[in-house]
Amino acid sequence: MEDFAALLSVTYRIFALEFTLYGFTFSLWQVFAFSAVAVIVGKFLAEVFFGD
């Protein structure tokens, strides 16, 4: 169980890393959340416009 907790702790620390790109600061959590929302919206729009 300690190994699993350590894995979650390391994962959290990695996702909490911040980086600056073209003057904007992002964390990996923000990038992950944006990607997830973009995929969901993209699939929805593809179904609306190209679905049967």
Side-chain angles (χ1 to χ4, degrees):
M1 194 63 171
E2 288 180 25
D3 292 336
F4 182 68
L7 177 65
L8 289 179
S9 176
V10 168
T11 304
Y12 176 76
R13 283 191 224 143
I14 290 172
F15 272 95
L17 288 176
E18 293 184 342
F19 58 94
T20 302
L21 187 64
Y22 298 115
F24 297 98
T25 302
F26 302 100
S27 72
L28 292 177
W29 281 115
Q30 292 170 323
V31 173
F32 177 75
F34 176 80
S35 299
V37 170
V39 166
I40 292 168
V41 169
K43 286 185 181 251
F44 175 76
L45 291 176
E47 186 65 31
V48 167
F49 289 112
F50 304 116
D52 290 349

